[in-house]
Amino acid sequence: MANEAKYNEIAGVNKKEQEKMERQQKREDFVENVQDNINDAAKSNQTHESKLTFEDSVIEKIAAIACHEVSGVLDMKGGFFSGISEQFGGYSLTKGISADVGEKEAAIDAAIILEYGHSAPKVFEELKRNIAQSVGQMTGLKVVEVNVRVDDVMTRKEFELKRRNERNENQNYEQGPSLR
């Protein structure tokens, strides 16, 4: 036996066996590595989720349009920057609206000009319903809160007269002073 071991060592029989075993081990390691990579890829696909998200301004625009559809709302009441924009002939559809948007829910604040003769509580209920329905239908978000602040009350005639005067002032401003 000892002579056979010595012969195998001199002839390189054990070395060939060893190399064969190493190649086999490398193949097994490679196959195992490929299987691990496939499993990791499958796991990573399971952890990635597709998402639909919305900018606050998109929700504000939807809510503003919904507000304008409600009888008794003459207009939205914007802040300082909306007022400046309107002085130069601009109009912001989202003036008077702000939105806080999460992944599944939204909260809306609106500032309105109420038409004289309309019930503020009824207009408020209609605004809540219409905003929630429009935002929910278009985005899938649940509107959890709608806050409405009545900033002014006007008759329709008073409101239209004011708008007409503002437009005339803007046109006069754009034309510049008369040279006559």
Side-chain angles (χ1 to χ4, degrees):
M1 273 299 214
N3 287 340
E4 186 178 335
K6 191 141 190 116
Y7 172 80
N8 286 342
E9 186 177 323
I10 292 172
V13 173
N14 288 339
K15 190 174 184 181
K16 288 180 183 176
E17 268 307 304
Q18 183 68 25
E19 288 173 355
K20 184 178 176 182
M21 288 174 53
E22 285 175 1
R23 282 194 305 272
Q24 182 62 29
Q25 185 62 42
K26 284 182 181 180
R27 282 189 199 114
E28 289 173 4
D29 289 346
F30 176 77
V31 169
E32 186 178 317
N33 191 18
V34 168
Q35 288 174 337
D36 286 345
N37 287 341
I38 290 170
N39 291 337
D40 288 345
K43 287 178 186 176
S44 69
N45 284 343
Q46 292 171 352
T47 58
H48 292 292
E49 289 184 22
S50 299
K51 284 186 180 181
L52 175 62
T53 59
F54 298 93
E55 287 290 325
D56 290 357
S57 62
V58 171
I59 304 306
E60 290 168 356
K61 195 173 208 177
I62 294 168
I65 293 169
C67 285
H68 285 283
E69 293 173 346
V70 174
S71 178
V73 176
L74 289 173
D75 201 5
M76 309 306 293
K77 187 72 171 186
F80 176 75
F81 292 110
S82 293
I84 290 175
S85 173
E86 287 179 4
Q87 289 297 320
F88 294 104
Y91 181 79
S92 171
L93 180 63
T94 60
K95 76 174 179 177
I97 298 285
S98 65
D100 291 322
V101 182
E103 286 187 28
K104 296 181 181 182
E105 300 176 334
I108 312 291
D109 293 329
I112 67 167
I113 299 173
L114 182 68
E115 183 176 359
Y116 177 80
H118 286 267
S119 166
K122 287 181 182 175
V123 170
F124 173 63
E125 289 302 318
E126 184 67 16
L127 282 169
K128 287 192 317 184
R129 185 196 64 72
N130 206 37
I131 290 170
Q133 181 180 351
S134 295
V135 170
Q137 180 182 16
M138 291 186 70
T139 65
L141 296 174
K142 180 180 179 185
V143 177
V144 293
E145 183 179 317
V146 175
N147 299 306
V148 176
R149 184 181 71 239
V150 178
D151 273 2
D152 202 351
V153 175
M154 293 182 171
T155 64
R156 181 160 298 277
K157 189 174 183 179
E158 176 186 11
F159 176 72
E160 289 172 358
L161 183 62
K162 182 179 177 189
R163 278 183 53 185
R164 195 173 316 122
N165 288 340
E166 287 173 354
R167 281 191 204 132
N168 288 339
E169 287 174 11
N170 288 338
Q171 286 177 350
N172 290 339
Y173 179 78
E174 290 170 7
Q175 291 174 357
S178 176
L179 297 176
R180 294 183 208 196

Short mmCIF file of all heavy atoms in Angstrom, two decimals, residues 17-72:
data_model
loop_
_atom_site.label_atom_id
_atom_site.label_comp_id
_atom_site.label_asym_id
_atom_site.label_seq_id
_atom_site.Cartn_x
_atom_site.Cartn_y
_atom_site.Cartn_z
N GLU A 17 -6.54 13.79 -9.46
CA GLU A 17 -7.79 13.65 -8.69
C GLU A 17 -8.11 14.95 -7.97
O GLU A 17 -9.26 15.37 -7.95
CB GLU A 17 -7.65 12.54 -7.64
CG GLU A 17 -8.07 11.16 -8.03
CD GLU A 17 -9.47 11.05 -8.59
OE1 GLU A 17 -10.45 11.46 -7.94
OE2 GLU A 17 -9.57 10.54 -9.71
N GLN A 18 -7.08 15.54 -7.38
CA GLN A 18 -7.27 16.80 -6.63
C GLN A 18 -7.76 17.90 -7.58
O GLN A 18 -8.69 18.63 -7.26
CB GLN A 18 -5.95 17.21 -5.96
CG GLN A 18 -6.04 18.45 -5.12
CD GLN A 18 -6.90 18.25 -3.87
OE1 GLN A 18 -7.06 17.14 -3.39
NE2 GLN A 18 -7.44 19.34 -3.38
N GLU A 19 -7.16 18.02 -8.77
CA GLU A 19 -7.57 19.03 -9.74
C GLU A 19 -9.00 18.78 -10.21
O GLU A 19 -9.79 19.71 -10.36
CB GLU A 19 -6.61 19.04 -10.93
CG GLU A 19 -5.26 19.64 -10.61
CD GLU A 19 -4.27 19.49 -11.75
OE1 GLU A 19 -4.60 18.84 -12.78
OE2 GLU A 19 -3.15 20.02 -11.62
N LYS A 20 -9.33 17.52 -10.39
CA LYS A 20 -10.69 17.15 -10.82
C LYS A 20 -11.69 17.55 -9.74
O LYS A 20 -12.74 18.11 -10.04
CB LYS A 20 -10.75 15.65 -11.09
CG LYS A 20 -12.06 15.16 -11.62
CD LYS A 20 -12.03 13.67 -11.90
CE LYS A 20 -13.38 13.18 -12.35
NZ LYS A 20 -13.39 11.74 -12.58
N MET A 21 -11.34 17.28 -8.49
CA MET A 21 -12.22 17.64 -7.39
C MET A 21 -12.35 19.17 -7.27
O MET A 21 -13.44 19.69 -7.01
CB MET A 21 -11.71 17.04 -6.08
CG MET A 21 -11.90 15.52 -6.00
SD MET A 21 -11.17 14.73 -4.56
CE MET A 21 -11.81 15.65 -3.21
N GLU A 22 -11.27 19.91 -7.50
CA GLU A 22 -11.30 21.37 -7.43
C GLU A 22 -12.19 21.94 -8.54
O GLU A 22 -12.96 22.87 -8.31
CB GLU A 22 -9.88 21.95 -7.54
CG GLU A 22 -9.06 21.79 -6.28
CD GLU A 22 -7.63 22.26 -6.44
OE1 GLU A 22 -7.24 22.75 -7.55
OE2 GLU A 22 -6.88 22.14 -5.46
N ARG A 23 -12.07 21.37 -9.76
CA ARG A 23 -12.92 21.83 -10.86
C ARG A 23 -14.39 21.56 -10.54
O ARG A 23 -15.25 22.39 -10.78
CB ARG A 23 -12.51 21.13 -12.17
CG ARG A 23 -11.28 21.71 -12.81
CD ARG A 23 -11.10 21.24 -14.26
NE ARG A 23 -11.08 19.81 -14.41
CZ ARG A 23 -9.99 19.03 -14.33
NH1 ARG A 23 -8.81 19.59 -14.11
NH2 ARG A 23 -10.07 17.74 -14.50
N GLN A 24 -14.66 20.40 -10.00
CA GLN A 24 -16.03 20.04 -9.63
C GLN A 24 -16.55 21.01 -8.56
O GLN A 24 -17.68 21.47 -8.64
CB GLN A 24 -16.09 18.59 -9.11
CG GLN A 24 -17.48 18.13 -8.74
CD GLN A 24 -18.45 18.11 -9.92
OE1 GLN A 24 -18.05 17.93 -11.08
NE2 GLN A 24 -19.71 18.32 -9.62
N GLN A 25 -15.71 21.35 -7.60
CA GLN A 25 -16.11 22.28 -6.53
C GLN A 25 -16.37 23.67 -7.12
O GLN A 25 -17.33 24.33 -6.72
CB GLN A 25 -15.02 22.35 -5.44
CG GLN A 25 -15.40 23.18 -4.25
CD GLN A 25 -16.61 22.65 -3.50
OE1 GLN A 25 -16.75 21.45 -3.28
NE2 GLN A 25 -17.50 23.56 -3.14
N LYS A 26 -15.52 24.10 -8.06
CA LYS A 26 -15.73 25.40 -8.70
C LYS A 26 -17.05 25.43 -9.45
O LYS A 26 -17.78 26.44 -9.41
CB LYS A 26 -14.57 25.72 -9.66
CG LYS A 26 -13.32 26.16 -8.96
CD LYS A 26 -12.24 26.51 -9.96
CE LYS A 26 -10.96 26.94 -9.26
NZ LYS A 26 -9.89 27.28 -10.21
N ARG A 27 -17.37 24.35 -10.16
CA ARG A 27 -18.66 24.26 -10.86
C ARG A 27 -19.82 24.37 -9.88
O ARG A 27 -20.78 25.10 -10.11
CB ARG A 27 -18.76 22.95 -11.65
CG ARG A 27 -18.01 22.93 -12.92
CD ARG A 27 -18.33 21.68 -13.74
NE ARG A 27 -17.29 21.48 -14.72
CZ ARG A 27 -16.44 20.45 -14.74
NH1 ARG A 27 -16.54 19.50 -13.85
NH2 ARG A 27 -15.52 20.38 -15.66
N GLU A 28 -19.73 23.62 -8.81
CA GLU A 28 -20.79 23.63 -7.79
C GLU A 28 -20.93 25.03 -7.17
O GLU A 28 -22.05 25.51 -6.97
CB GLU A 28 -20.52 22.59 -6.72
CG GLU A 28 -20.70 21.16 -7.19
CD GLU A 28 -20.25 20.13 -6.17
OE1 GLU A 28 -19.87 20.52 -5.04
OE2 GLU A 28 -20.29 18.93 -6.51
N ASP A 29 -19.78 25.67 -6.89
CA ASP A 29 -19.82 27.04 -6.34
C ASP A 29 -20.46 28.01 -7.35
O ASP A 29 -21.24 28.88 -6.97
CB ASP A 29 -18.41 27.52 -5.98
CG ASP A 29 -17.84 26.80 -4.76
OD1 ASP A 29 -18.63 26.14 -4.03
OD2 ASP A 29 -16.62 26.92 -4.54
N PHE A 30 -20.09 27.86 -8.63
CA PHE A 30 -20.65 28.73 -9.66
C PHE A 30 -22.16 28.56 -9.76
O PHE A 30 -22.90 29.53 -9.79
CB PHE A 30 -19.98 28.42 -11.02
CG PHE A 30 -20.56 29.21 -12.15
CD1 PHE A 30 -20.22 30.54 -12.33
CD2 PHE A 30 -21.45 28.63 -13.04
CE1 PHE A 30 -20.76 31.28 -13.37
CE2 PHE A 30 -22.00 29.35 -14.08
CZ PHE A 30 -21.66 30.68 -14.26
N VAL A 31 -22.62 27.32 -9.81
CA VAL A 31 -24.05 27.05 -9.90
C VAL A 31 -24.78 27.62 -8.67
O VAL A 31 -25.83 28.25 -8.79
CB VAL A 31 -24.32 25.53 -10.06
CG1 VAL A 31 -25.79 25.21 -9.89
CG2 VAL A 31 -23.83 25.06 -11.42
N GLU A 32 -24.18 27.43 -7.52
CA GLU A 32 -24.79 27.95 -6.28
C GLU A 32 -24.85 29.49 -6.32
O GLU A 32 -25.85 30.09 -5.93
CB GLU A 32 -23.97 27.48 -5.07
CG GLU A 32 -24.59 27.85 -3.74
CD GLU A 32 -23.78 27.31 -2.57
OE1 GLU A 32 -23.33 26.15 -2.63
OE2 GLU A 32 -23.61 28.08 -1.61
N ASN A 33 -23.78 30.12 -6.82
CA ASN A 33 -23.73 31.58 -6.92
C ASN A 33 -24.81 32.09 -7.88
O ASN A 33 -25.49 33.08 -7.61
CB ASN A 33 -22.34 32.02 -7.37
CG ASN A 33 -22.13 33.50 -7.25
OD1 ASN A 33 -22.85 34.19 -6.54
ND2 ASN A 33 -21.13 34.00 -7.95
N VAL A 34 -24.97 31.41 -9.02
CA VAL A 34 -26.00 31.80 -9.98
C VAL A 34 -27.38 31.67 -9.36
O VAL A 34 -28.23 32.56 -9.48
CB VAL A 34 -25.89 30.96 -11.28
CG1 VAL A 34 -27.11 31.14 -12.16
CG2 VAL A 34 -24.62 31.32 -12.04
N GLN A 35 -27.62 30.58 -8.65
CA GLN A 35 -28.91 30.38 -8.00
C GLN A 35 -29.16 31.45 -6.93
O GLN A 35 -30.27 31.97 -6.81
CB GLN A 35 -29.00 28.98 -7.39
CG GLN A 35 -29.14 27.89 -8.42
CD GLN A 35 -29.07 26.50 -7.81
OE1 GLN A 35 -28.51 26.31 -6.74
NE2 GLN A 35 -29.63 25.53 -8.53
N ASP A 36 -28.13 31.82 -6.18
CA ASP A 36 -28.26 32.89 -5.18
C ASP A 36 -28.61 34.22 -5.86
O ASP A 36 -29.46 34.97 -5.37
CB ASP A 36 -26.97 33.05 -4.37
CG ASP A 36 -26.76 31.92 -3.37
OD1 ASP A 36 -27.73 31.17 -3.09
OD2 ASP A 36 -25.62 31.80 -2.86
N ASN A 37 -27.95 34.50 -6.98
CA ASN A 37 -28.24 35.74 -7.71
C ASN A 37 -29.68 35.76 -8.21
O ASN A 37 -30.35 36.79 -8.15
CB ASN A 37 -27.27 35.93 -8.87
CG ASN A 37 -25.88 36.32 -8.42
OD1 ASN A 37 -25.68 36.78 -7.30
ND2 ASN A 37 -24.90 36.10 -9.29
N ILE A 38 -30.15 34.65 -8.72
CA ILE A 38 -31.54 34.56 -9.19
C ILE A 38 -32.49 34.78 -8.03
O ILE A 38 -33.46 35.53 -8.14
CB ILE A 38 -31.79 33.20 -9.89
CG1 ILE A 38 -31.03 33.16 -11.22
CG2 ILE A 38 -33.28 32.97 -10.11
CD1 ILE A 38 -31.01 31.80 -11.88
N ASN A 39 -32.21 34.15 -6.91
CA ASN A 39 -33.07 34.31 -5.72
C ASN A 39 -33.05 35.75 -5.22
O ASN A 39 -34.08 36.30 -4.84
CB ASN A 39 -32.65 33.35 -4.60
CG ASN A 39 -32.95 31.90 -4.93
OD1 ASN A 39 -33.82 31.62 -5.76
ND2 ASN A 39 -32.24 30.99 -4.31
N ASP A 40 -31.85 36.37 -5.21
CA ASP A 40 -31.75 37.76 -4.77
C ASP A 40 -32.54 38.68 -5.70
O ASP A 40 -33.21 39.61 -5.23
CB ASP A 40 -30.29 38.22 -4.73
CG ASP A 40 -29.52 37.58 -3.58
OD1 ASP A 40 -30.15 37.02 -2.66
OD2 ASP A 40 -28.27 37.66 -3.60
N ALA A 41 -32.46 38.43 -6.99
CA ALA A 41 -33.19 39.25 -7.95
C ALA A 41 -34.69 39.10 -7.75
O ALA A 41 -35.44 40.08 -7.80
CB ALA A 41 -32.81 38.88 -9.38
N ALA A 42 -35.13 37.88 -7.50
CA ALA A 42 -36.56 37.65 -7.26
C ALA A 42 -37.01 38.37 -5.99
O ALA A 42 -38.08 38.97 -5.95
CB ALA A 42 -36.84 36.16 -7.17
N LYS A 43 -36.17 38.32 -4.96
CA LYS A 43 -36.51 39.01 -3.71
C LYS A 43 -36.55 40.52 -3.90
O LYS A 43 -37.43 41.19 -3.39
CB LYS A 43 -35.50 38.65 -2.61
CG LYS A 43 -35.66 37.25 -2.07
CD LYS A 43 -34.60 36.97 -1.03
CE LYS A 43 -34.65 35.52 -0.58
NZ LYS A 43 -33.58 35.21 0.36
N SER A 44 -35.60 41.08 -4.66
CA SER A 44 -35.57 42.52 -4.85
C SER A 44 -36.76 42.98 -5.69
O SER A 44 -37.27 44.06 -5.49
CB SER A 44 -34.26 42.97 -5.49
OG SER A 44 -34.17 42.52 -6.83
N ASN A 45 -37.22 42.16 -6.63
CA ASN A 45 -38.42 42.51 -7.39
C ASN A 45 -39.64 42.54 -6.49
O ASN A 45 -40.56 43.31 -6.70
CB ASN A 45 -38.65 41.51 -8.53
CG ASN A 45 -37.71 41.75 -9.69
OD1 ASN A 45 -37.12 42.81 -9.80
ND2 ASN A 45 -37.57 40.75 -10.54
N GLN A 46 -39.65 41.72 -5.48
CA GLN A 46 -40.78 41.68 -4.56
C GLN A 46 -40.78 42.91 -3.66
O GLN A 46 -41.83 43.35 -3.23
CB GLN A 46 -40.75 40.41 -3.72
CG GLN A 46 -41.01 39.16 -4.53
CD GLN A 46 -40.77 37.89 -3.72
OE1 GLN A 46 -40.27 37.94 -2.61
NE2 GLN A 46 -41.12 36.76 -4.29
N THR A 47 -39.62 43.48 -3.36
CA THR A 47 -39.57 44.61 -2.45
C THR A 47 -39.78 45.94 -3.17
O THR A 47 -40.08 46.92 -2.52
CB THR A 47 -38.22 44.66 -1.70
OG1 THR A 47 -37.16 44.74 -2.64
CG2 THR A 47 -38.04 43.43 -0.83
N HIS A 48 -39.64 45.99 -4.49
CA HIS A 48 -39.89 47.23 -5.23
C HIS A 48 -41.38 47.36 -5.48
O HIS A 48 -42.03 46.44 -5.94
CB HIS A 48 -39.15 47.23 -6.57
CG HIS A 48 -37.66 47.30 -6.41
ND1 HIS A 48 -37.03 48.42 -5.93
CD2 HIS A 48 -36.69 46.40 -6.66
CE1 HIS A 48 -35.73 48.20 -5.89
NE2 HIS A 48 -35.50 46.97 -6.33
N GLU A 49 -41.91 48.54 -5.14
CA GLU A 49 -43.32 48.80 -5.38
C GLU A 49 -43.46 49.94 -6.37
O GLU A 49 -42.71 50.89 -6.33
CB GLU A 49 -44.01 49.19 -4.07
CG GLU A 49 -44.16 48.06 -3.09
CD GLU A 49 -44.94 48.49 -1.85
OE1 GLU A 49 -45.70 49.48 -1.94
OE2 GLU A 49 -44.77 47.86 -0.83
N SER A 50 -44.44 49.82 -7.22
CA SER A 50 -44.77 50.93 -8.11
C SER A 50 -45.61 51.91 -7.32
O SER A 50 -46.39 51.53 -6.48
CB SER A 50 -45.56 50.41 -9.31
OG SER A 50 -44.78 49.49 -10.02
N LYS A 51 -45.42 53.20 -7.61
CA LYS A 51 -46.14 54.24 -6.87
C LYS A 51 -46.74 55.26 -7.83
O LYS A 51 -46.16 55.55 -8.86
CB LYS A 51 -45.20 54.99 -5.92
CG LYS A 51 -44.83 54.27 -4.68
CD LYS A 51 -44.03 55.20 -3.78
CE LYS A 51 -43.62 54.51 -2.50
NZ LYS A 51 -42.88 55.42 -1.63
N LEU A 52 -47.87 55.79 -7.43
CA LEU A 52 -48.49 56.91 -8.12
C LEU A 52 -48.52 58.05 -7.12
O LEU A 52 -49.12 57.91 -6.05
CB LEU A 52 -49.91 56.57 -8.57
CG LEU A 52 -50.72 57.69 -9.20
CD1 LEU A 52 -50.05 58.18 -10.49
CD2 LEU A 52 -52.13 57.21 -9.48
N THR A 53 -47.83 59.13 -7.43
CA THR A 53 -47.78 60.27 -6.50
C THR A 53 -48.24 61.53 -7.23
O THR A 53 -48.23 61.58 -8.46
CB THR A 53 -46.36 60.49 -5.95
OG1 THR A 53 -45.46 60.71 -7.04
CG2 THR A 53 -45.89 59.28 -5.14
N PHE A 54 -48.62 62.53 -6.44
CA PHE A 54 -49.13 63.77 -7.00
C PHE A 54 -48.45 64.96 -6.33
O PHE A 54 -48.27 64.96 -5.11
CB PHE A 54 -50.65 63.89 -6.78
CG PHE A 54 -51.43 62.81 -7.45
CD1 PHE A 54 -51.77 61.65 -6.77
CD2 PHE A 54 -51.82 62.94 -8.77
CE1 PHE A 54 -52.49 60.64 -7.39
CE2 PHE A 54 -52.54 61.94 -9.40
CZ PHE A 54 -52.87 60.79 -8.71
N GLU A 55 -48.11 65.95 -7.11
CA GLU A 55 -47.65 67.23 -6.58
C GLU A 55 -48.83 67.89 -5.90
O GLU A 55 -49.97 67.74 -6.34
CB GLU A 55 -47.13 68.13 -7.71
CG GLU A 55 -45.82 67.72 -8.30
CD GLU A 55 -44.67 67.94 -7.34
OE1 GLU A 55 -44.68 68.92 -6.57
OE2 GLU A 55 -43.75 67.11 -7.36
N ASP A 56 -48.56 68.67 -4.87
CA ASP A 56 -49.62 69.40 -4.18
C ASP A 56 -50.38 70.28 -5.16
O ASP A 56 -51.61 70.40 -5.08
CB ASP A 56 -49.04 70.26 -3.06
CG ASP A 56 -48.51 69.44 -1.89
OD1 ASP A 56 -48.63 68.19 -1.91
OD2 ASP A 56 -47.97 70.05 -0.95
N SER A 57 -49.68 70.89 -6.12
CA SER A 57 -50.32 71.80 -7.07
C SER A 57 -51.37 71.11 -7.93
O SER A 57 -52.35 71.73 -8.33
CB SER A 57 -49.27 72.48 -7.95
OG SER A 57 -48.57 71.52 -8.71
N VAL A 58 -51.19 69.83 -8.21
CA VAL A 58 -52.17 69.08 -9.00
C VAL A 58 -53.47 68.93 -8.20
O VAL A 58 -54.57 69.17 -8.71
CB VAL A 58 -51.62 67.69 -9.40
CG1 VAL A 58 -52.70 66.82 -10.03
CG2 VAL A 58 -50.44 67.85 -10.33
N ILE A 59 -53.33 68.57 -6.94
CA ILE A 59 -54.51 68.41 -6.08
C ILE A 59 -55.17 69.77 -5.87
O ILE A 59 -56.40 69.88 -5.86
CB ILE A 59 -54.11 67.77 -4.73
CG1 ILE A 59 -53.38 66.43 -4.96
CG2 ILE A 59 -55.31 67.60 -3.83
CD1 ILE A 59 -54.11 65.43 -5.81
N GLU A 60 -54.38 70.83 -5.73
CA GLU A 60 -54.92 72.18 -5.57
C GLU A 60 -55.75 72.57 -6.80
O GLU A 60 -56.81 73.18 -6.67
CB GLU A 60 -53.80 73.18 -5.34
CG GLU A 60 -53.15 73.03 -3.98
CD GLU A 60 -51.85 73.81 -3.82
OE1 GLU A 60 -51.39 74.44 -4.81
OE2 GLU A 60 -51.29 73.78 -2.71
N LYS A 61 -55.27 72.24 -7.98
CA LYS A 61 -55.98 72.58 -9.21
C LYS A 61 -57.31 71.84 -9.30
O LYS A 61 -58.33 72.42 -9.65
CB LYS A 61 -55.10 72.26 -10.42
CG LYS A 61 -55.55 72.88 -11.70
CD LYS A 61 -54.51 72.63 -12.78
CE LYS A 61 -54.52 73.72 -13.81
NZ LYS A 61 -53.47 73.52 -14.81
N ILE A 62 -57.29 70.56 -8.98
CA ILE A 62 -58.53 69.76 -9.01
C ILE A 62 -59.53 70.34 -8.00
O ILE A 62 -60.71 70.51 -8.31
CB ILE A 62 -58.24 68.28 -8.70
CG1 ILE A 62 -57.40 67.66 -9.82
CG2 ILE A 62 -59.54 67.50 -8.51
CD1 ILE A 62 -56.81 66.30 -9.49
N ALA A 63 -59.05 70.66 -6.81
CA ALA A 63 -59.93 71.21 -5.76
C ALA A 63 -60.47 72.58 -6.18
O ALA A 63 -61.65 72.89 -5.93
CB ALA A 63 -59.17 71.31 -4.44
N ALA A 64 -59.65 73.41 -6.82
CA ALA A 64 -60.10 74.74 -7.26
C ALA A 64 -61.22 74.62 -8.29
O ALA A 64 -62.22 75.33 -8.21
CB ALA A 64 -58.93 75.53 -7.81
N ILE A 65 -61.04 73.72 -9.25
CA ILE A 65 -62.07 73.52 -10.26
C ILE A 65 -63.35 73.02 -9.60
O ILE A 65 -64.46 73.48 -9.92
CB ILE A 65 -61.58 72.55 -11.36
CG1 ILE A 65 -60.45 73.21 -12.15
CG2 ILE A 65 -62.72 72.14 -12.28
CD1 ILE A 65 -59.70 72.27 -13.08
N ALA A 66 -63.22 72.11 -8.64
CA ALA A 66 -64.38 71.59 -7.92
C ALA A 66 -65.08 72.71 -7.15
O ALA A 66 -66.31 72.74 -7.07
CB ALA A 66 -63.96 70.47 -6.97
N CYS A 67 -64.33 73.64 -6.59
CA CYS A 67 -64.92 74.77 -5.86
C CYS A 67 -65.73 75.67 -6.79
O CYS A 67 -66.82 76.11 -6.44
CB CYS A 67 -63.84 75.59 -5.18
SG CYS A 67 -63.13 74.82 -3.72
N HIS A 68 -65.18 75.93 -7.97
CA HIS A 68 -65.87 76.81 -8.92
C HIS A 68 -67.17 76.19 -9.44
O HIS A 68 -68.03 76.92 -9.95
CB HIS A 68 -64.94 77.16 -10.09
CG HIS A 68 -63.89 78.17 -9.73
ND1 HIS A 68 -64.15 79.51 -9.60
CD2 HIS A 68 -62.58 78.01 -9.45
CE1 HIS A 68 -63.05 80.15 -9.27
NE2 HIS A 68 -62.07 79.26 -9.16
N GLU A 69 -67.34 74.89 -9.32
CA GLU A 69 -68.56 74.22 -9.77
C GLU A 69 -69.70 74.36 -8.77
O GLU A 69 -70.84 74.06 -9.09
CB GLU A 69 -68.28 72.73 -9.99
CG GLU A 69 -67.34 72.45 -11.14
CD GLU A 69 -66.96 70.98 -11.24
OE1 GLU A 69 -67.18 70.20 -10.28
OE2 GLU A 69 -66.40 70.59 -12.29
N VAL A 70 -69.41 74.82 -7.55
CA VAL A 70 -70.42 74.89 -6.50
C VAL A 70 -71.16 76.23 -6.56
O VAL A 70 -70.53 77.29 -6.56
CB VAL A 70 -69.78 74.69 -5.11
CG1 VAL A 70 -70.78 74.91 -3.99
CG2 VAL A 70 -69.17 73.29 -5.02
N SER A 71 -72.47 76.15 -6.60
CA SER A 71 -73.30 77.35 -6.59
C SER A 71 -73.12 78.07 -5.25
O SER A 71 -73.16 77.45 -4.19
CB SER A 71 -74.76 76.94 -6.78
OG SER A 71 -75.59 78.07 -6.73
N GLY A 72 -72.93 79.37 -5.33
CA GLY A 72 -72.73 80.16 -4.12
C GLY A 72 -71.29 80.59 -3.93
O GLY A 72 -70.99 81.44 -3.10
#
